[in-house]
Amino acid sequence: MPDKMDWLKDEMSGVSKLTQFSTVMKFLKGKVSGPSDVVKCAMCPNMCRHACPISIVDGKETTSPAGKSRVGMMLENEVLRFNEENVFPLQMCLSCGCCENWCPFDFSVSDILRPQREESIKQGVDFKQFDEMFKALEMHGSVHGKVGKEKNYPEEGEVLYLRGCEFRENDQRVIDKTMQLFEKLDESAFVLPGEECCGIPAYNAGNTALFEELAKKMAKKINMSSAKKVVTSCPSCAYAYERLYPEFSQGLDVEVLHMVEYLEEKKRLLNLEKKGGSVTFHEPCKLVNGLGKKKSMRDVLENSGLSLKIPRRSGEKTFCCGYGGTTVSRLNEELSSSINEERLKELKGLSKNIVTACPSCKEAFQDNHGDVKVYDIAELFNRLL
Amino acid sequence: MIRGDFLSLNESKKKKRASKVDKVIKKLSDTLDGGRLSTQRADLLSYSHDYWPIYLHWMLEDRYPSVPDAVVWPESIEDVRDIVRWCYRGKVPIYPYGGGSGVLGGAVPEKGGIVVDLKRMRSLKLHKKDLLVEAESGLNGYYLEDYLNERGYTMGNIPQSLYPSTVGGWVGTKALGQFSTKYGGIEDMLKGIEVVVPPGKLIELKPHPRTATGPDLRKFFVGSEGTMGIITKGWFKIWPEPEKRIKLSYASNSLKDAVESIRRIMRRGAEPAVIRIYDEIETKRHFYEYDDIYGKVATVMIIEGDETLADAESKIVREEFVGKEKGEKPVDHWLETRFSIKEASEFVPMGVVFDTIEVAVGWSGAAKLYENVVGALKPIKGVLFASAHASHFYPQGICFYFTFAGTPPRKKDAEGFYQQAWEEAMKAVINSGGTVSHHHGVGRQRRRWMSEELEEGYELLKKIKQKVDKRGIMNPGDMGL
C-alpha cells in the first residue's frame, strides 16, 4: 500500500528545483517538525465549533475553539500583550474536551492553551476571582473556603469515598445518601479526615504551582489511609487523581474510580425490575471526554428499571452544564448560566427528573431552575435499591 | 498594523471618518448593553478575517490588514434594525458575519466599520406538516441538521463547512452541500426570508410552495453576500430522512469514462444525492489505502430516498457506469474523511500557498475546461500540484473543484504567487465557457472577474445596489459593489 503522502512526493518530483520547496520536502520525509499545536489549531476554520458549548451559546469568534488558539498565537507573537482583557478569551473554556472528539489532530483546546494560561499567571495577570479562589485553596484546602460542620462517618475502611469540595459545601445530603448506598452494597466505606481539594481548580486556572502543592498533600493523605479503592462523585476529581497526579509524579497507590465507573462494576447488583417513571440524564463532560467513559453512565442507568429518555446530545456529543472547568463560571457567570439554560431546555423536554454524576452539574441544574428534580446517580440508586 | 496589498483600506481614510464611527459606536453601545458590543483589540483582530486562504499567511506574518472599529452581537430583530439605522445615519460600513468559513474574503471588513455577528440569533421551529424549518440566520449548520435528524428529517444541505457555518451564511453566499445532486443548493431549499435593509427596514417574504408575485425577491437575497441587507431568518424545505441508502463506488480508466457515465445517468433522470469523481492525482490523495483504485479515477456515489426509487436509480447507475464496481468501502472512507481539512493546518505554516477553485460548465465543455484549467495551473513556477474532482452534477452539466498548492518561487511573495494562480485559472475557465464560481461565491478574491462574467448584467446589479443601499454601507467592496 502506498504511503499517505506518496502522491505529493510523486507530483513534487517533477517540479523545477528553482522553487523553494525544500522545507516541504523535508517535512514530508519527517526530517523537520511541523507547526506547533496552537498554530495548527489557529489555522483551522473551527471544525469543532458545533461541539463547543461556549461557541454555540456565546457565539463569538474570539472565544470559539480556533479563535482562542488565534488569540494564543497573537499572545505568543506579541501582537497582543498579556493582560486581563487579552487573556480573558483563553479563560472562556469549560475544559469539557468536546472539541477533541472532532479534531483530526485530537487536540483539546484547553490542553494546547495551557502554556499561555500558565504564562499569564507568571506575568502576574490578576483576575480577582481567581485570587479569591487561590487564597481559599491555600488557606483552607477547599475551593469554597473554610468547610462548615460535617456529619461524622467512619474514618477507616476499604473504600475511601472522597466527597469533594462541592458536595461538602453545598449538598451534604448527597454524601449521606452515597454512604447509605455503599452500605447497601456491603462496602466498608469511609471518608478521609482532613480531606482537601484535589487541586484541579488551580490547574484549570493555570496555577500549576498551587495544583502541585495540593496534589502532593492529597496524594500523601490518600496513600497513608487504609483505602484499597478510592471512589469519588466528582469526575473532575477522578480525572485529577487518575490522569494528572501521575503526570506530576503524585500517583496514588490505589485504584481510583468515579462513581459511574464504580457502579458499572456493580452493575449485576443494580439490575432492577422495571417500574413506572422516567428519567433523563446528563453525562458530565469530564466523565465522557476526560475519563473516556462514552457510554458508561447510560449503561448503568439502563439497569435502573426506569424508562430512560436519551438526550440528542449524549455520549461523546454531550453538552457541558456551563459550570465545568472552573474559569468560565468565575469570570462570566452570565455565560455559564446561559449554557446551563440551553442544556436544561433540552433535558426538560424529555423528563422533569434529571440524573447526573457530577456535583457541579447537579448544583447548576437545581440552582438555576426549581421545576426539575435533579439526582446524583448514587442518590438515585440509593433510592431505588 | 501593516495593511494588506489586496485591500483598499488605508490609515488616512480611516482617520478621516474616525469621529463619525466613534459617534455611531457610542450610540450603539447605549443600545447594545450587556456585552453585545466590543471594541477590544482581541475581538477586533478576531473579526478582521474569514477563512480566505491568503489571509492565513498574513496572520502567520502578524499582518491584519482589515481591522473593524467594533463588533456587535445582536440578539433580536430590533437589535439588527438599530444597528442598520445608526450605521446608515453615520454612513458607517456594516459587515454581516456568520461562521467565518467563507474562503473568498466575503466577510473581511475591508473599509473598517462594524462587524455584525449573527450567531446569537439562532432560534428554530419545525413545521412538520408543511415540510419546512424556520431558522434564524445565526443558527449553526450542524446544530440544525442534527436537530432535524433526531426528529426524522433532513434538510440535505451538508457543505464541508457544516460544522462551523451558519444558516444565514449559507443563504448569503449561495452555498450548497455534498448531497446537492438530489437535494439542490440553498436556493432550492429557501422558501421564505426575513431581511433588514437600509435604512433599517424589515422585509419579510413568507414561505409558499410557489408564488407568482413578480420577480422572486427571495432569490434576490440568495448570494447577495451582505451587500443588500442583513438576512435574519429563512424558511427552508426539508425532507423525511431517507428510507434507504445505497453506496456505490467505481474505478475507471479515465476521467472521461466516469464523467460521460454520469452525464448518461443524469440524462435518464437518476439523481444520486452524492456523486464525486476524483482525477488520478486526487484518487491517489484520497484513496491511497485502496491498491485496486490507486492510480485510476475513483467515483463514489450515494443514492438515497424512498426504497423503490433508490433501487431504480441504482439500476440505472449500474447499467450506465463505465468502470469497475468497488463496493461500499471507498464510500465509507469518503464519509469518514469528508470533513477533514487538516492539510491546511499542516502545510500553510510551512509556507505552502493553496486554494480551491470551484467552477461549473455544460457537459459539452467539461473535458476541455478540466484540461485547460489544470494545464494553466501546472506550469506556473512554484506549483507543486494542480488537480480536481467533480463534485456536483446537473442534467445540463458539472461542477469541477480544482485544488492548487505551491511554494512561491524566488522574487515572488505568497500574494503574488497566489494571484498569478488565480489569474491563470480564471482565464482558462472563461475561455472554456465556464462560470467563474459554482458555490463559494465572489467575496473580495473574485470580484475582478464579475464584470467579465456578467457584462451588462453587472452594471444592472450595481444600479440595484445603489438603490437598495444608497449610502453604500452594506459590506462595501464585496463583489466589487
Side-chain angles (χ1 to χ4, degrees):
Chain A
M1 187 174 76
D3 279 343
K4 193 181 172 193
M5 286 297 174
D6 277 359
W7 69 274
L8 185 52
K9 288 179 199 161
D10 290 351
E11 291 301 308
M12 285 175 69
S13 66
V15 175
S16 158
K17 295 286 178 205
L18 285 173
T19 57
Q20 299 168 339
F21 67 87
S22 58
T23 318
V24 180
M25 201 45 128
K26 280 181 192 162
F27 174 62
L28 287 175
K29 289 178 179 170
K31 289 180 181 168
V32 290
S33 60
S36 73
D37 293 352
V38 171
V39 169
K40 278 186 196 160
C41 182
M43 294 290 107
C44 170
N46 264 314
M47 293 303 272
C48 61
R49 184 205 296 278
H50 61 295
C52 172
I54 294 282
S55 207
I56 287 294
V57 176
D58 198 26
K60 289 184 175 179
E61 287 306 300
T62 324
T63 55
S64 67
K68 282 195 274 268
S69 286
R70 288 171 200 149
V71 171
M73 190 173 86
M74 290 177 209
L75 288 165
E76 263 182 13
N77 295 354
E78 297 176 3
V79 173
L80 291 173
R81 275 185 317 203
F82 276 93
N83 59 32
E84 272 185 60
E85 184 178 301
N86 294 332
V87 172
F88 183 87
L90 303 192
Q91 301 290 8
M92 290 303 102
C93 177
L94 297 159
S95 300
C96 64
C98 290
C99 46
E100 196 177 340
N101 294 324
W102 301 87
C103 177
F105 300 105
D106 298 328
F107 291 155
S108 146
V109 172
S110 167
D111 289 344
I112 63 172
L113 288 170
R114 269 203 72 70
Q116 284 77 7
R117 291 208 300 277
E118 286 175 348
E119 182 61 26
S120 79
I121 296 277
K122 276 183 207 154
Q123 294 208 15
V125 176
D126 210 13
F127 291 105
K128 78 171 186 332
Q129 298 91 328
F130 289 179
D131 281 350
E132 286 164 9
M133 177 180 75
F134 296 152
K135 271 181 203 145
L137 287 168
E138 279 163 13
M139 289 171 67
H140 305 291
S142 166
V143 78
H144 295 295
K146 196 173 180 185
V147 180
K149 197 168 179 281
E150 292 182 283
K151 196 172 164 182
N152 291 328
Y153 295 104
E155 293 185 358
E156 272 194 10
E158 292 187 352
V159 174
L160 169 58
Y161 174 52
L162 290 175
R163 297 158 287 177
C165 301
E166 204 59 48
F167 279 160
R168 290 176 75 198
E169 171 71 18
N170 293 317
D171 212 343
Q172 292 194 14
R173 207 178 43 84
V174 180
I175 297 175
D176 215 39
K177 302 288 177 198
T178 306
M179 292 303 279
Q180 286 173 23
L181 176 67
F182 282 128
E183 211 174 314
K184 287 179 187 171
L185 295 172
D186 285 331
E187 294 282 13
S188 142
F190 71 105
V191 299
L192 190 68
E195 176 183 333
E196 292 193 40
C197 176
C198 64
I200 202 165
Y203 179 85
N204 287 337
N207 193 340
T208 309
L210 179 56
F211 167 72
E212 282 188 274
E213 199 183 300
L214 291 159
K216 210 171 170 179
K217 275 202 257 179
M218 269 306 275
K220 193 175 170 190
K221 285 183 187 179
I222 295 168
N223 286 338
M224 283 175 68
S225 76
S226 60
K228 289 187 176 156
K229 185 183 276 181
V230 170
V231 178
T232 173
S233 297
C234 174
S236 291
C237 295
Y239 178 79
Y241 297 131
E242 276 186 38
R243 306 287 166 91
L244 299 180
Y245 276 33
E247 247 182 66
F248 287 84
S249 309
Q250 300 299 335
L252 302 182
D253 300 336
V254 286
E255 182 189 23
V256 180
L257 295 174
H258 176 257
M259 181 55 75
V260 165
E261 297 173 290
Y262 169 77
L263 293 175
E264 208 175 12
E265 280 187 358
K266 301 282 173 193
K267 218 155 63 175
R268 208 169 36 83
L269 300 174
L270 304 173
N271 205 355
L272 301 168
E273 276 176 23
K274 285 225 174 311
K275 54 182 78 65
S278 73
V279 286
T280 188
F281 58 94
H282 168 80
E283 293 150 300
C285 35
K286 218 63 187 177
L287 174 72
V288 170
N289 298 320
L291 299 171
K293 299 290 170 185
K294 309 276 182 199
K295 272 192 74 201
S296 300
M297 185 162 169
R298 183 172 158 181
D299 286 349
V300 170
L301 285 170
E302 269 165 1
N303 289 6
S304 67
L306 297 168
S307 161
L308 202 56
K309 305 288 180 194
I310 299 159
R312 174 167 65 92
R313 290 176 286 195
S314 66
E316 69 174 13
K317 290 203 295 188
T318 195
F319 196 81
C320 180
C321 71
Y323 287 79
T326 309
T327 56
V328 182
S329 58
R330 282 175 173 76
L331 299 180
N332 194 348
E333 159 67 22
E334 203 183 326
L335 177 57
S336 283
S337 177
S338 301
I339 295 169
N340 187 260
E341 274 172 37
E342 158 93 19
R343 179 56 163 168
L344 200 56
K345 194 173 154 197
E346 181 185 355
L347 299 176
K348 271 162 73 173
L350 296 168
S351 173
K352 296 279 186 247
N353 297 313
I354 299 168
V355 192
T356 184
C358 168
S360 297
C361 301
K362 181 173 190 287
E363 200 64 27
F365 289 137
Q366 67 193 17
D367 272 8
N368 281 353
H369 301 271
D371 56 342
V372 288
K373 179 82 186 147
V374 189
Y375 299 92
D376 178 75
I377 193 162
E379 188 187 6
L380 178 80
F381 274 102
N382 180 55
R383 194 175 161 151
L384 295 173
L385 270 174
Chain B
M1 275 166 221
I2 305 161
R3 300 290 164 192
D5 298 327
F6 303 147
L7 304 174
S8 59
L9 181 69
N10 61 59
E11 285 295 349
S12 61
K13 265 189 196 169
K14 208 173 172 189
K15 269 177 198 158
K16 264 189 212 165
R17 54 173 184 71
S19 62
K20 258 191 206 170
V21 177
D22 291 344
K23 272 185 202 161
V24 170
I25 290 173
K26 172 77 185 60
K27 284 286 175 197
L28 285 176
S29 59
D30 291 342
T31 316
L32 303 170
D33 53 359
R36 284 178 288 163
L37 180 143
S38 172
T39 53
Q40 292 186 353
R41 196 169 151 79
D43 287 323
L44 302 184
L45 291 170
S46 297
Y47 283 91
S48 65
H49 58 86
D50 52 14
Y51 201 63
W52 190 7
I54 195 64
Y55 219 114
L56 300 178
H57 290 272
W58 294 344
M59 284 160 68
L60 288 163
E61 294 162 14
D62 300 331
R63 294 167 64 191
Y64 295 88
S66 46
V67 181
D69 296 285
V71 184
V72 291
W73 295 272
E75 292 174 1
S76 66
I77 292 285
E78 273 318 305
D79 285 353
V80 176
R81 293 186 69 182
D82 281 342
I83 293 160
V84 176
R85 261 187 221 124
W86 285 113
C87 287
Y88 180 81
R89 282 184 204 172
K91 220 177 163 189
V92 169
I94 293 175
Y95 308 87
Y97 202 100
S101 56
V103 288
L104 295 158
V108 167
E110 179 179 14
K111 297 182 179 176
I114 314 281
V115 171
V116 184
D117 186 340
L118 277 303
K119 286 196 286 293
R120 287 190 184 169
M121 291 179 64
R122 56 188 186 95
S123 70
L124 84 165
K125 200 171 173 186
L126 181 59
H127 304 281
K128 290 183 184 178
K129 195 159 187 184
D130 295 333
L131 283 177
L132 284 174
V133 67
E134 180 182 342
E136 281 193 304
S137 58
L139 187 71
N140 177 269
Y142 174 88
Y143 189 105
L144 171 62
E145 185 61 20
D146 192 45
Y147 176 92
L148 291 173
N149 293 167
E150 198 210 12
R151 289 157 178 79
Y153 298 92
T154 179
M155 190 162 132
N157 194 50
I158 320 287
Q160 193 178 32
S161 61
L162 181 73
Y163 300 160
S165 61
T166 62
V167 170
W170 293 350
V171 179
T173 59
K174 201 174 182 180
L176 99 173
Q178 296 156 345
F179 289 62
S180 73
T181 304
K182 176 180 172 67
Y183 299 102
I186 200 71
E187 69 277 18
D188 302 307
M189 297 163 191
L190 185 87
K191 291 298 197 182
I193 195 168
E194 193 182 79
V195 193
V196 175
V197 296
K201 277 188 187 157
L202 177 69
I203 295 178
E204 194 181 49
L205 301 163
K206 289 273 194 214
H208 299 291
R210 188 173 188 272
T211 169
T213 46
D216 194 346
L217 288 172
R218 291 161 188 81
K219 298 282 166 72
F220 171 70
F221 291 102
V222 177
S224 60
E225 300 189 8
T227 60
M228 303 293 172
I230 299 182
I231 298 161
T232 49
K233 192 195 274 183
W235 284 262
F236 303 92
K237 188 163 91 175
I238 56 169
W239 304 60
E241 271 218 286
E243 186 186 9
K244 187 168 186 180
R245 178 175 265 197
I246 300 167
K247 293 178 269 188
L248 296 170
S249 71
Y250 290 92
S252 305
N253 288 329
S254 71
L255 189 66
K256 192 180 163 206
D257 280 354
V259 167
E260 275 296 301
S261 300
I262 299 299
R263 185 184 66 79
R264 289 192 300 274
I265 289 163
M266 298 293 297
R267 197 180 175 87
R268 285 182 63 183
E271 286 181 338
V274 176
I275 311 170
R276 297 175 89 84
I277 304 171
Y278 296 89
D279 71 4
E280 282 178 32
I281 299 172
E282 296 208 4
T283 297
K284 285 180 178 178
R285 179 179 163 198
H286 296 293
F287 299 97
Y288 66 95
E289 286 163 318
Y290 300 85
D291 285 331
D292 52 347
I293 294 180
Y294 200 79
K296 302 264 182 189
V297 168
T299 300
V300 293
M301 242 183 271
I302 296 176
I303 296 164
E304 63 180 33
D306 177 88
E307 185 168 359
T308 314
L309 294 175
D311 287 341
E313 285 188 320
S314 70
K315 189 167 178 279
I316 291 174
V317 169
R318 287 191 166 108
E319 284 169 4
E320 296 292 350
F321 207 94
V322 177
K324 230 174 177 177
E325 205 169 322
K326 294 292 172 189
E328 292 194 350
K329 277 189 178 168
V331 190
D332 289 335
H333 173 75
W334 175 78
L335 282 167
E336 279 161 24
T337 55
R338 66 193 158 132
F339 294 116
S340 175
I341 47 155
K342 65 187 288 196
E343 284 162 354
S345 291
E346 283 174 316
F347 287 97
V348 171
M350 308 300 286
V352 173
V353 177
F354 84 99
D355 212 339
T356 55
I357 300 175
E358 27 57 69
V359 299
V361 66
W363 289 113
S364 55
K368 193 173 122 199
L369 182 136
Y370 170 81
E371 279 161 24
N372 288 352
V373 176
V374 171
L377 286 167
K378 270 192 172 164
I380 298 171
K381 199 174 270 184
V383 164
L384 301 175
F385 76 90
S387 61
H389 60 271
S391 51
H392 308 275
F393 299 83
Y394 308 86
Q396 290 71 35
I398 183 168
C399 160
F400 276 115
Y401 195 95
F402 294 94
T403 302
F404 73 87
T407 51
R410 283 187 194 99
K411 294 185 184 168
K412 203 158 217 168
D413 58 11
E415 286 116 277
F417 173 73
Y418 179 74
Q419 292 301 0
Q420 188 191 354
W422 265 92
E423 284 287 347
E424 296 300 335
M426 290 291 95
K427 211 191 300 169
V429 170
I430 292 165
N431 290 341
S432 310
T435 173
V436 296
S437 177
H438 177 262
H439 61 271
H440 285 173
V442 180
R444 286 170 172 78
Q445 176 55 30
R446 266 191 177 125
R447 61 188 169 192
R448 61 185 183 275
W449 291 284
M450 281 292 275
S451 174
E452 205 168 336
E453 167 107 14
L454 297 181
E455 299 176 335
E456 275 306 307
Y458 188 52
E459 297 308 311
L460 176 63
L461 183 63
K462 285 203 269 191
K463 280 181 192 158
I464 295 170
K465 159 81 175 174
Q466 279 156 13
K467 284 286 175 195
V468 175
D469 179 21
K470 281 187 192 123
R471 297 190 169 184
I473 59 166
M474 298 306 308
N475 201 2
D478 185 84
M479 294 198 278
L481 297 175

